[in-house]
Amino acid sequence: MTAHKPSTRDTILDAAETVVGRDGARRLTIDAVAAEACVSKGGVLYHFPNKIALLKGMVERMMADVSQDFANCEAAAHAAGEPPLVHVFNAMFDRHDARKALSMALLAASAEHPDLLDPARDFLSSTFQRLSDDTPDPIGARLLLLAMDGLKLSALLGFDTIPENQLTQIRDRLVRLTHELYQ
Amino acid sequence: MTAHKPSTRDTILDAAETVVGRDGARRLTIDAVAAEACVSKGGVLYHFPNKIALLKGMVERMMADVSQDFANCEAAAHAAGEPPLVHVFNAMFDRHDARKALSMALLAASAEHPDLLDPARDFLSSTFQRLSDDTPDPIGARLLLLAMDGLKLSALLGFDTIPENQLTQIRDRLVRLTHELYQ
DNA sequence: TTGACTGTACCGTCTGGACGGTTTATGTGC
DNA sequence: GCACATAAACCGTCCAGACGGTACAGTCAA
């Protein structure tokens, strides 16, 4: 069991995401984050010298996580001799809730200073371009990736109201269409 | 020529969207809106007694506009004997920029008080449900609607980095697949 | 001893909102 | 046609509280 407790830094970032998701990006104050993380205000400022640094930390951790996820998916797909996109989509559905919290960094950064999203924009743009280009039908792949975006970004605003049974059908269809891309 | 100048109320709502899009939801202050609308702070507070009312106004106007757009699309589709979804998708691509500004209401409301989005959530949820159910292949329709969501919500965060030529190809494909839903 | 904090006090600025005053449009009686 | 009344639309200022950030002395485990 290497379930060692998360670092204070990560606890603070988790708390920030919780605050944004629950109270809105406007209430993401250093005081609120400190209270949510059960850390003093000084403690937060020890790890992140100012609020911009905190937001940068949120975006950077999100990108690192997403990057890792994609890498895992591509490795698993390669090992299984399957299309990478299938693994990407399945991973999204399997860890739907986890991703929802993660992306709160996007809302927070866009609210405070939209420029903070520049690195994320570049990273996601090139990643999605590559994912779709590595496919016999890039436009079809793009369309499916856009549908995935729709699901994730809807969840970001709480617009994820599709009933569970429809969601599994959508998942099945998405995976089926992904396989068809490669034929 | 009935191009009468917009009401002060609408000017204020336009200004609010401009501020959110340019500076982020965090900078949506009554002062900033007043300056952007070339109105005094008192003038803003005359039309919207407090900030919550301003945000409600933004969300309500957005819903009214979207509702009107959908109604127009369905009417035009009915008149032309075409699938409604085709008109919905074409309208989205044709007025891409207009819609981008409109949806800033979503960002602003989610930042300040996420509950303000409840009516929008209900409205969009039922509208999309109906649009897809009125189709021989509801799951396929949902997938295409999700792709549209992906495009619109990406634009909301400035994540609309797909090159123009790919975008037109995506549009063509989306319309083609929509027609296929009805076969 | 050092790094990782806690706790408190404080400062300057920003923000929402209340409030009183002023201009403009619309009648209304004569 | 005109003085007057009334209300709607709008302006400018003020204030309490919230917020970001600083400073600094103290705690405590490794």
Side-chain angles (χ1 to χ4, degrees):
Chain A
M1 295 293 180
T2 53
H4 56 116
K5 82 170 183 193
S7 68
T8 302
R9 190 190 147 90
D10 275 320
T11 305
I12 291 170
L13 292 177
D14 291 341
E17 288 170 1
T18 301
V19 171
V20 175
R22 189 189 52 212
D23 305 328
R26 177 68 199 284
R27 323 271 167 206
L28 184 73
T29 66
I30 297 177
D31 278 309
V33 172
E36 183 69 31
C38 298
V39 165
S40 71
K41 185 176 176 179
V44 173
L45 287 167
Y46 176 81
H47 289 279
F48 303 96
N50 53 46
K51 198 179 173 184
I52 299 289
L54 173 62
L55 290 159
K56 270 189 189 162
M58 293 176 76
V59 173
E60 278 164 12
R61 191 178 71 162
M62 184 207 73
M63 279 196 295
D65 283 8
V66 171
S67 175
Q68 184 65 55
D69 282 352
F70 279 148
N72 289 345
C73 284
E74 296 191 79
H78 185 260
E82 289 179 316
L85 276 190
V86 171
H87 283 252
V88 168
F89 292 142
N90 276 323
M92 180 197 61
F93 279 97
D94 287 338
R95 312 199 294 123
H96 187 247
D97 289 346
R99 274 298 176 66
K100 178 176 174 176
L102 253 182
S103 310
M104 286 301 157
L106 299 179
L107 274 190
S110 90
E112 186 78 24
H113 197 61
D115 289 353
L116 288 170
L117 291 180
D118 285 350
R121 185 168 19 245
D122 295 344
F123 166 72
L124 291 174
S125 172
S126 59
T127 301
F128 277 40
Q129 184 74 47
R130 183 173 54 78
L131 276 174
S132 55
D133 281 351
D134 284 354
T135 282
D137 175 11
I139 297 299
R142 256 269 141 76
L143 212 57
L144 298 181
L145 283 169
L146 279 173
M148 183 184 76
D149 273 2
L151 271 171
K152 283 173 60 173
L153 294 173
S154 298
L156 204 59
L157 295 175
F159 280 39
D160 47 349
T161 55
I162 300 179
E164 192 63 35
N165 61 327
Q166 278 188 39
L167 212 55
T168 57
Q169 290 181 271
I170 290 172
R171 174 187 187 148
D172 293 343
R173 178 73 71 94
L174 193 58
V175 169
R176 203 187 78 205
L177 289 173
T178 308
H179 276 115
E180 289 177 8
L181 287 178
Y182 293 84
Q183 286 162 7
Chain B
M1 292 294 182
T2 55
H4 56 114
K5 81 172 184 195
S7 68
T8 302
R9 191 190 147 91
D10 274 321
T11 305
I12 291 170
L13 291 177
D14 291 342
E17 287 169 2
T18 302
V19 171
V20 175
R22 188 188 54 213
D23 305 328
R26 177 67 199 281
R27 322 268 169 209
L28 182 74
T29 66
I30 297 178
D31 275 310
V33 172
E36 184 68 33
C38 297
V39 164
S40 74
K41 188 174 176 180
V44 172
L45 286 168
Y46 173 79
H47 289 278
F48 303 96
N50 53 48
K51 198 178 174 185
I52 298 288
L54 173 62
L55 291 159
K56 271 189 189 164
M58 294 175 76
V59 173
E60 279 165 11
R61 191 179 71 162
M62 184 208 74
M63 279 197 293
D65 283 9
V66 171
S67 175
Q68 184 65 56
D69 282 352
F70 279 148
N72 290 345
C73 284
E74 296 191 79
H78 185 261
E82 289 179 317
L85 276 190
V86 171
H87 284 252
V88 168
F89 291 142
N90 276 324
M92 179 196 62
F93 279 97
D94 286 339
R95 314 201 292 124
H96 188 247
D97 288 346
R99 276 297 178 67
K100 179 175 173 177
L102 254 182
S103 310
M104 286 302 157
L106 299 179
L107 275 190
S110 91
E112 187 77 24
H113 196 62
D115 288 355
L116 289 170
L117 291 180
D118 286 349
R121 184 168 20 244
D122 296 343
F123 167 72
L124 292 174
S125 171
S126 58
T127 301
F128 278 40
Q129 184 73 46
R130 184 174 54 78
L131 277 174
S132 56
D133 281 352
D134 284 354
T135 282
D137 175 10
I139 298 300
R142 256 266 139 76
L143 213 57
L144 298 182
L145 283 168
L146 279 173
M148 183 185 76
D149 273 3
L151 271 172
K152 283 173 60 173
L153 294 173
S154 298
L156 205 60
L157 295 174
F159 280 39
D160 46 349
T161 55
I162 299 179
E164 192 64 35
N165 60 327
Q166 277 188 40
L167 212 54
T168 58
Q169 290 182 272
I170 290 173
R171 174 187 188 148
D172 293 343
R173 179 72 72 93
L174 193 58
V175 170
R176 204 186 79 204
L177 289 173
T178 308
H179 275 114
E180 288 178 8
L181 286 179
Y182 293 83
Q183 287 161 7

